[in-house]
Amino acid sequence: MGRGSRKRGKLEDDENRFDEDEDEDEDEDDSQDMLKMYQEMKLKMAAMESIMLRRLNDKGRKRRKRRRTRKSNDVDDSGDEKRTSKKKGSSTSTMDEKLTVEEKGDMKSDEPSSMEVDTESTPAPPREPAPAPAPAPPPSPTKDTTTQPETAEDSRDAVKTENEEVTAVTVKAEEPPKPKELSEEEKMWKEVQENPEHFDTWVSLASRLEQKDDYKALSECLRALLKEYPFCYGYWTKLAELEKRYGHANLQLQVCEEGVAAAEHCHEMWTYYCSIDMDSENDDLIAETRRRFERAAKVIGSDFQSHQFWNKYIEFETSHDENQRAAGIYLRILRTPLAMLDEYYKKYEEFASKRPVKDLLSELAGRDFNPSSVEESEKYRNEIMAEHKEVYLKTKLEKETLDYFENRIARAYFHVKDLNESDISNWHSYLDFCEARVREDAKQFRPMTVKIYERCLIACANYPEFWIRFATFVEGQGLETGVADARSIYNRATSIFTKRQPECFLEYALFEERHGNIEQARGIYQHILENVSPGLVQGLVNLTNFERRRGNVEEACKIYDAALEGANFEEIPLLAVNAGKFYAKIKKDANRAREIYEEALRHRTDCADLWLAYVTFEDSVSSSYTDKIKPIFERALAEDSKLQAQDREVLASFYLEYASDYAPSLEDVQSIQKRFPTITPLLSFEKKRPLASYVHSPTSSTASTIASSHQQQIKQEVGAVSSTEGLASGADQSQVSTEAAIASTAQDVTAYSTGAAASAAAGATAQQSAAAASYSSHADYYQQYGYAYPGYGYDASAWAAQQAQYAAATQAQQ
């Protein structure tokens, strides 16, 4: 009996040891898994630890519950109360010992410092062998104990649940933090920094900062705004007043100097600057203020609307009892055609009648004036006033001449909003009139014309055509400083006012090339294509022509090929037309040109211009109507054509004309008429546009100024001025010059070619028809380079004469 008991006890001990070994193996595997999980998630330990501990505690409680249930079942099955009691004691002791080892291992593994230090480089140490079983009381159900699942299935379920929890924590932890909410000022700052052309946002930001009275922020805002819009004199005065309000007198004067340098021909800015120290009694400040007034008078004194400035100047001198100086100012005003000339003459009469005669004379003349009697003094006064009245009446005639244009200026100040078409037309008319007078008497009228150009550029600063026109005028005067002055105008335009528009840059590049600055011109073209208007077709065309003129034909071909590869949907037709023309005419490679047209038509079968350019190309390199030209028309006018109805009529008109001239049989012509019954030979010319508008660039020259819809109005207005204001001596010449100037603006080729053919059909003289034909033959050149660029094989004066003859032909037709 004793031997059997010992054997059974030994077997039970072996079973318990085997169970413990199994549990230890499971513990080591689970520990390795946990270590890997901790290693991957160590940056999120704070969130995971609480979840892991909670899950492990729950599993321990469940395991203890399962073991108690199993222990009760064993008692029921054996029926041997004594054996069960003995086994229960031994088993309980063993299980308690095993739980103690597991709890220690798990709690040890949960320590953050141990995990953070050892998990990356040191593997988990193996567990020590379990100590000999010893009796121990059963664990409390509420004790926080961590154990591992007893079975493999339990282990897999536990790990799966833990992974789901960790994944949820990971997703939650990886959510990006919400961006900080920006204030209204910060939002506005961000917008104007990203889009500095948003003028309304600038205004709102400045207004908001002004209400907050934040000196630093408002000063920074105003300076940034004025850097972008230097003609906004109102913000220059705001900045100067801000410096004054904070006691920065020197900075106030510095701001004014910056303002008059940036907006030199703004009379409002000068008026504010001169008024700063007007009331000072300090002799130095009085002298400094007088110098400012004199500086301003030389720059903006002739401005038609500068009466506020002159009022301040007179007030300044009279307030310091400088009557002789005040009388001299009145005389300068009477010699200047100002809007309020009549009011100034009345004020002068009142001033002269109440002052001593000596005050009406200059300082030098006043020293020698010593009348012997009152009668002699009054007689001299009357002579002076009569002389000044004569000056006034002469100036009044000039003023009334300018009234016609000046009264039509709706906005003389700068603003980002577009001008009305009538305002633009009026400025062009005004400049045409002034340039015509310069041709009559350059010495007398050139300074006045330059002043009007500067005034025009304040209101029209965002219009490249006026900058180009001004630079062209200055360059063409033949002065020693003409080229430098024109370059300065282009610099002003391209660095500030039109820096985001390519027109001035294109003309600037031509200007530098014309004057031998080759690298400068090439740099301007590169700047256009990289920064101003990437992919601009006109810039690419001008650059390739520039390289061609330098003899770099291969480089020009590379530019075209690279542009064709990256062309977008809208750029394809124009780029293909110019590239095809270049390869056909310059490179003499008809096959490559044909490839370009075919490739472009794979993408843009809806473009009539492209089809007609292809026809023109084949017509120039091939004499086969049946093999080359007819298939192109048939493809373009097929039933599934994507052309619009109007463009189909245009192509059909050309098709009919080509068939009439080159088709081998009458049936071909009749078949076209049958397909397009609304197109007849008699109407075909009226329906179609001239072919020249397709073989050349559809965009007009960058030197284009006056819209064609306003040109007749301009001629009528200038003619009305010449007849109504008594300018009989120069009326004819002015009218002819004005017509030539208007015609010289690069108009649409369509209007010229159609007009030339129509005038011939209407019975114009042979000389007029020849002039019109010559005009059309030169039109492509002047459309490309503008009317202001002779020297490339064409004579500008002959060109102007041809334009005048063409205008006469058009008038004869009407």
Side-chain angles (χ1 to χ4, degrees):
M1 186 69 180
R3 183 180 300 175
S5 298
R6 286 195 300 271
K7 186 178 293 185
R8 284 194 299 272
K10 184 177 181 181
L11 290 174
E12 288 175 356
D13 291 338
D14 292 339
E15 282 182 353
N16 291 334
R17 192 176 294 112
F18 180 77
D19 291 339
E20 289 175 359
D21 292 338
E22 251 188 352
D23 290 339
E24 286 179 0
D25 292 337
E26 290 180 2
D27 290 343
E28 288 182 7
D29 293 338
D30 292 338
S31 177
Q32 290 294 333
D33 293 338
M34 293 296 296
L35 286 173
K36 291 180 181 180
M37 290 166 59
Y38 274 115
Q39 184 175 3
E40 293 174 354
M41 307 302 299
K42 65 180 180 179
L43 297 178
K44 306 175 182 64
M45 287 294 296
M48 296 194 310
E49 284 177 355
S50 60
I51 296 174
M52 294 293 297
L53 289 173
R54 186 174 66 251
R55 295 298 304 165
L56 291 173
N57 290 336
D58 291 340
K59 287 184 290 183
R61 285 192 293 270
K62 292 178 181 179
R63 184 182 297 109
R64 287 193 297 273
K65 184 177 180 180
R66 287 195 300 270
R67 286 178 177 176
R68 284 195 298 271
T69 303
R70 185 175 57 183
K71 184 169 57 177
S72 300
N73 293 336
D74 290 341
V75 172
D76 294 338
D77 292 340
S78 64
D80 189 348
E81 186 174 351
K82 195 173 190 178
R83 179 181 175 184
T84 301
S85 175
K86 183 178 180 180
K87 184 177 181 179
K88 177 181 178 181
S90 176
S91 177
T92 302
S93 175
T94 305
M95 285 192 296
D96 290 340
E97 188 67 36
K98 184 168 65 174
L99 286 173
T100 302
V101 173
E102 291 173 351
E103 287 170 3
K104 289 181 180 181
D106 291 338
M107 293 303 294
K108 183 178 180 181
S109 66
D110 289 340
E111 294 180 4
S113 59
S114 175
M115 291 302 301
E116 292 176 358
V117 173
D118 298 331
T119 52
E120 293 190 13
S121 58
T122 305
R127 292 187 181 274
E128 296 179 358
S140 174
T142 59
K143 185 179 179 180
D144 189 6
T145 309
T146 57
T147 58
Q148 295 296 330
E150 184 165 319
T151 64
E153 184 176 358
D154 292 339
S155 177
R156 286 193 299 270
D157 294 341
V159 171
K160 181 178 180 181
T161 306
E162 291 168 7
N163 289 338
E164 292 175 353
E165 294 282 351
V166 171
T167 303
V169 173
T170 304
V171 172
K172 183 176 181 180
E174 291 180 352
E175 290 182 358
K178 293 183 179 180
K180 181 182 177 181
E181 186 70 21
L182 298 177
S183 64
E184 287 299 322
E185 290 85 356
E186 291 173 332
K187 291 179 181 178
M188 291 180 181
W189 267 117
K190 183 178 180 182
E191 182 177 351
V192 296
Q193 288 170 356
E194 294 176 353
N195 302 289
E197 67 275 11
H198 287 184
F199 183 75
D200 291 340
T201 308
W202 280 112
V203 173
S204 300
L205 177 60
S207 177
R208 182 179 290 269
L209 294 176
E210 188 175 11
Q211 293 174 1
K212 295 177 64 175
D213 200 19
D214 187 340
Y215 167 76
K216 183 178 180 181
L218 179 57
S219 175
E220 183 181 356
C221 172
L222 292 176
R223 288 188 177 278
L225 187 155
L226 290 167
K227 184 178 180 181
E228 195 71 24
Y229 302 101
F231 279 170
C232 292
Y233 72 90
Y235 288 101
W236 285 111
T237 59
K238 278 183 182 291
L239 182 56
E241 285 296 311
L242 177 68
E243 301 294 355
K244 177 183 177 181
R245 190 164 66 251
Y246 280 86
H248 306 154
N250 292 334
L251 290 179
Q252 181 189 17
L253 297 178
Q254 180 181 339
V255 169
C256 289
E257 283 291 343
E258 294 174 3
V260 297
E264 185 180 9
H265 294 270
C266 176
H267 62 83
E268 295 92 345
M269 188 66 227
W270 278 106
T271 302
Y272 171 82
Y273 187 22
C274 295
S275 303
I276 290 178
D277 298 316
M278 271 185 60
D279 300 330
S280 176
E281 297 297 332
N282 183 281
D283 292 340
D284 293 337
L285 287 179
I286 291 173
E288 177 61 27
T289 301
R290 184 173 289 117
R291 283 193 291 270
R292 291 174 195 161
F293 272 113
E294 280 302 313
R295 285 174 58 195
K298 293 177 181 178
V299 178
I300 52 92
S302 61
D303 192 319
F304 196 77
Q305 301 290 341
S306 61
H307 45 271
Q308 293 181 353
F309 163 77
W310 288 113
N311 289 342
K312 289 289 185 180
Y313 199 0
I314 294 172
E315 179 186 348
F316 168 73
E317 296 295 359
T318 54
S319 66
H320 293 91
D321 295 327
E322 294 288 347
N323 293 323
Q324 283 186 330
R325 293 180 183 275
I329 294 172
Y330 273 118
L331 182 58
R332 291 165 70 178
I333 292 174
L334 295 179
R335 290 172 177 166
T336 306
L338 303 177
M340 299 183 66
L341 180 65
D342 296 337
E343 286 77 1
Y344 279 118
Y345 180 70
K346 293 177 182 178
K347 290 181 180 181
Y348 172 72
E349 284 185 322
E350 183 180 354
F351 173 87
S353 62
K354 294 180 180 180
R355 298 292 189 281
V357 176
K358 187 175 182 179
D359 289 349
L360 304 181
L361 302 174
S362 64
E363 185 177 356
L364 181 61
R367 294 174 184 174
D368 300 332
F369 180 71
N370 188 16
S372 58
S373 64
V374 176
E375 290 78 7
E376 182 180 355
S377 177
E378 290 300 320
K379 179 181 178 182
Y380 202 71
R381 181 197 304 275
N382 294 334
E383 289 177 358
I384 293 174
M385 294 183 67
E387 180 181 347
H388 290 175
K389 184 176 183 179
E390 185 179 352
V391 172
Y392 156 70
L393 293 175
K394 183 178 179 181
T395 306
K396 185 177 181 180
L397 289 175
E398 176 69 11
K399 181 252 182 185
E400 291 174 348
T401 301
L402 302 180
D403 273 342
Y404 178 82
F405 302 104
E406 292 286 351
N407 292 339
R408 285 167 171 75
I409 298 175
R411 191 178 82 195
Y413 56 89
F414 170 81
H415 202 283
V416 295
K417 293 181 179 179
D418 292 338
L419 289 167
N420 296 328
E421 289 295 329
S422 58
D423 295 333
I424 298 175
S425 177
N426 181 67
W427 277 115
H428 278 301
S429 301
Y430 201 176
L431 296 173
D432 287 338
F433 173 76
C434 293
E435 290 181 3
R437 299 175 80 184
V438 171
R439 289 191 287 270
E440 297 172 9
D441 190 341
K443 185 177 180 180
Q444 178 182 355
F445 294 110
R446 185 186 295 121
M448 170 192 168
T449 302
V450 171
K451 298 288 185 183
I452 292 176
Y453 262 114
E454 292 287 358
R455 285 179 56 206
C456 168
L457 289 176
I458 293 177
C460 306
N462 294 331
Y463 291 82
E465 61 200 67
F466 289 99
W467 291 98
I468 296 168
R469 179 168 182 169
F470 187 23
T472 302
F473 169 77
V474 170
E475 183 187 7
Q477 293 304 300
L479 302 177
E480 293 182 0
T481 61
V483 175
D485 291 342
R487 182 175 288 111
S488 175
I489 294 168
Y490 280 122
N491 277 326
R492 287 166 58 193
T494 55
S495 61
I496 301 175
F497 302 101
T498 63
K499 60 185 178 183
R500 298 182 182 89
Q501 303 179 59
E503 291 86 351
C504 281
F505 286 99
L506 292 172
E507 293 294 338
Y508 192 11
L510 291 172
F511 170 84
E512 294 294 357
E513 181 187 1
R514 185 165 62 256
H515 293 286
N517 300 322
I518 305 304
E519 292 304 320
Q520 177 75 3
R522 183 179 283 112
I524 294 172
Y525 283 125
Q526 292 173 352
H527 177 69
I528 294 171
L529 297 175
E530 292 175 4
N531 303 312
V532 181
S533 297
L536 179 69
V537 176
Q538 192 64 45
L540 288 166
V541 172
N542 283 19
L543 177 58
T544 53
N545 287 333
F546 167 81
E547 296 294 352
R548 172 183 58 79
R549 291 190 289 270
R550 307 271 71 76
N552 302 328
V553 176
E554 294 300 328
E555 181 65 24
C557 292
K558 292 180 181 178
I559 294 171
Y560 269 129
D561 292 341
L564 287 168
E565 289 180 3
N568 60 36
F569 185 79
E570 297 296 332
E571 297 169 352
I572 288 174
L574 180 56
L575 189 58
V577 168
N578 283 279
K581 183 173 61 175
F582 183 88
Y583 272 99
K585 300 294 184 182
I586 306 301
K587 190 67 173 172
K588 306 297 183 183
D589 189 347
N591 291 331
R592 174 56 181 153
R594 190 174 289 110
E595 290 176 1
I596 291 172
Y597 283 116
E598 288 291 344
E599 180 64 22
L601 285 170
R602 284 201 316 109
H603 303 281
R604 292 300 305 271
T605 56
D606 61 324
C607 183
D609 295 8
L610 189 57
W611 286 110
L612 289 174
Y614 194 10
V615 169
T616 305
F617 158 73
E618 292 293 359
D619 186 34
S620 64
V621 300
S622 174
S623 59
S624 175
Y625 165 80
T626 304
D627 296 337
K628 297 294 183 181
I629 297 176
K630 182 178 178 180
I632 297 175
F633 278 119
E634 290 295 335
R635 287 166 57 193
L637 298 172
E639 292 297 331
D640 58 348
S641 173
K642 296 181 180 180
L643 292 171
Q644 297 181 0
Q646 183 180 0
D647 291 335
R648 285 176 62 85
E649 285 191 357
V650 171
L651 282 173
S653 299
F654 275 104
Y655 192 12
L656 181 59
E657 182 180 356
Y658 268 90
S660 300
D661 294 338
Y662 304 113
S665 64
L666 183 60
E667 287 75 10
D668 290 344
V669 180
Q670 292 175 342
S671 65
I672 298 172
Q673 290 178 324
K674 185 177 180 180
R675 287 173 60 189
F676 304 98
T678 59
I679 303 299
T680 65
L682 185 61
L683 297 177
S684 62
F685 188 86
E686 298 176 4
K687 288 282 185 182
K688 71 181 181 61
R689 288 170 284 177
L691 199 58
S693 64
Y694 298 99
V695 296
H696 301 294
S697 171
T699 56
S700 61
S701 167
T702 55
S704 177
T705 53
I706 309 174
S708 59
S709 61
H710 295 92
Q711 291 170 357
Q712 189 64 27
Q713 175 188 351
I714 295 171
K715 292 168 64 178
Q716 293 173 355
E717 290 176 350
V718 177
V721 173
S722 301
S723 60
T724 58
E725 300 299 340
L727 303 178
S729 59
D732 294 338
Q733 183 177 357
S734 175
Q735 181 70 13
V736 172
S737 301
T738 302
E739 290 179 353
I742 294 171
S744 64
T745 57
Q747 301 181 21
D748 190 280
V749 179
T750 302
Y752 288 131
S753 301
T754 304
S759 63
T765 64
Q767 181 181 3
Q768 291 170 342
S769 299
S774 177
Y775 183 94
S776 298
S777 67
H778 292 70
D780 58 335
Y781 168 80
Y782 282 94
Q783 185 182 0
Q784 178 73 17
Y785 298 106
Y787 63 89
Y789 300 102
Y792 291 87
Y794 297 95
D795 182 21
S797 60
W799 168 246
Q802 292 169 8
Q803 291 172 323
Q805 293 175 356
Y806 177 75
T810 304
Q811 186 174 2
Q813 173 202 354
Q814 294 174 351

